[in-house]
Amino acid sequence: METRSMPVPDGLDGTRVDAGLAKMLGFSRTFAAEVAEAGGVVLDGAVLGKSDRLRGGSWLEVSWRAREEPTIVPVVVADLGIAYDDDDIVVVDKPTGVAAHPSVGWEGPTVLGALAGAGFRVATTGAAERQGVVHRLDVGTSGLMVVAKTERAYTALKRAFKEREVEKVYHAVVQGHPDPLAGTIDAPIGRHPSHSWKFAVTSTGKDSVTHYETLEAFPGAALLEIHLETGRTHQIRVHMAAHRHPCVGDPLYGGDPVLSARLGLTRQWLHARELSFAHPSTGDWVTFTSSYPADLAHALEVLRGD
């Protein structure tokens, strides 16, 4: 058990417990929330929850158990697709149910584990469990991811994503019909104020811009093409839910479970359809496209048959 005792800086007066611990102790917000939920945060003798507020000048005692860092475990993922591979990069067509990289609490397969199991070697810059990863897809989102295999490629791709020089095109089926049928959602995204694992449009969030266009309309749903300017966690799911058109099959952000069951979906209808960027070695503009996996294609067939 590790412990730390300290006064709360006046600058953190009124800050949520999980956010304050993240700033004072370098915890992630998620881990800070776990510590609080386990009763490990005491302020002037009173146990606080993750959403309680800190008081400047009060005495804070924090106790937690160190957890093991996640590691890359080689694994065979039979339906992992390789869209492209050379000495610098590998473009993966990720199936649903596979995380981008290891993380605390995730025990399923990962892209990095699948690549290791297939004999690929990737760049080692950054945290050991995120080797070569320059962007991520949610576990329940399928489609294209690029992973760097060299340090040069890693540096170039990280810069390209940061400078928004990468074109990311997604297809999503959402509930209802957006009005207008094409448009832009420009709304900041941050952590949800009361749910550790969710995100939301908040005034204190990071700038987030999503462009969408309706490709096909069905009774009660629509297929959209979505272009991302930014790459926030759950961005499409949060923005479409805030627009009152959550992704079909996404109960976390308001998807109708009855519709999901009718379409045979066990995850959100969201697919990273196209990925384009300047090749980190040659500078040539390259574009990769991914077909819909079977579960998403089946859902479309059902919708088209209505």
Side-chain angles (χ1 to χ4, degrees):
M1 180 73 73
E2 299 187 40
T3 61
R4 189 75 62 84
S5 299
M6 71 207 82
V8 176
D10 290 338
L12 294 181
D13 182 63
T15 302
R16 278 176 54 115
V17 166
D18 50 2
L21 292 187
K23 292 180 179 179
M24 287 187 286
L25 299 177
F27 293 164
S28 68
R29 283 279 296 264
T30 299
F31 183 61
E34 292 175 0
V35 171
E37 290 172 344
V41 181
V42 179
L43 188 72
D44 288 343
V47 177
L48 299 185
K50 64 182 180 182
S51 59
D52 289 331
R53 303 287 170 169
L54 298 173
R55 295 191 304 274
S58 296
W59 193 253
L60 180 69
E61 299 174 80
V62 184
S63 303
W64 72 95
R65 291 190 181 279
R67 54 189 185 182
E68 295 181 3
E69 291 300 316
T71 58
I72 297 172
V73 178
V75 63
V76 175
V77 177
D79 53 349
L80 183 84
I82 302 298
Y84 178 80
D85 174 44
D86 65 19
D87 291 340
D88 295 287
I89 61 174
V90 55
V91 179
V92 171
D93 198 346
K94 187 186 84 66
T96 184
V98 179
H101 57 72
S103 61
V104 174
W106 175 251
E107 298 180 354
T110 67
V111 168
L112 292 184
L115 289 175
F120 288 86
R121 298 186 66 180
V122 300
T124 57
T125 295
E129 74 278 6
R130 300 187 185 185
Q131 296 175 11
V133 173
V134 294
H135 69 126
R136 294 177 291 178
L137 295 178
D138 296 340
V139 170
T141 299
S142 52
L144 298 168
M145 269 184 62
V146 59
V147 179
K149 295 171 68 176
T150 66
E151 303 305 321
R152 177 179 62 181
Y154 180 87
T155 300
L157 288 171
K158 284 292 284 185
R159 184 200 62 78
F161 275 93
K162 182 178 180 180
E163 299 298 325
R164 304 182 185 179
E165 297 173 353
V166 176
E167 292 186 5
K168 297 168 287 185
V169 180
Y170 291 75
H171 282 188
V173 173
V174 301
Q175 294 176 197
H177 303 144
D179 184 12
L181 294 176
T184 296
I185 303 173
D186 185 350
I189 291 176
R191 289 200 174 267
H192 195 285
S194 58
H195 297 280
S196 299
W197 298 101
K198 291 181 65 174
F199 291 79
V201 170
T202 66
S203 60
T204 58
K206 296 180 179 179
D207 290 342
S208 307
V209 180
T210 300
H211 307 283
Y212 71 90
E213 177 184 357
T214 301
L215 297 179
E216 192 172 354
F218 317 103
L223 172 65
L224 308 183
E225 179 165 292
I226 296 173
H227 294 249
L228 294 184
E229 279 194 29
T230 52
R232 309 305 178 200
T233 302
H234 297 181
Q235 179 173 323
I236 294 172
R237 300 164 67 189
V238 170
H239 269 174
M240 296 316 301
H243 205 46
R244 302 196 178 193
H245 297 286
C247 291
V248 170
D250 188 4
L252 185 64
Y253 289 103
D256 179 3
V258 175
L259 177 58
S260 301
R262 185 167 68 83
L263 299 180
L265 287 173
T266 58
R267 50 105 169 196
Q268 66 267 14
W269 204 115
L270 180 60
H271 186 66
R273 175 74 164 176
E274 190 173 292
L275 184 64
S276 304
F277 52 88
H279 191 284
S281 179
T282 67
D284 294 337
W285 190 253
V286 292
T287 298
F288 305 97
T289 304
S290 169
S291 300
Y292 301 145
D295 61 336
L296 302 189
H298 171 75
L300 278 182
E301 289 177 4
V302 176
L303 286 169
R304 287 168 177 154
D306 285 349

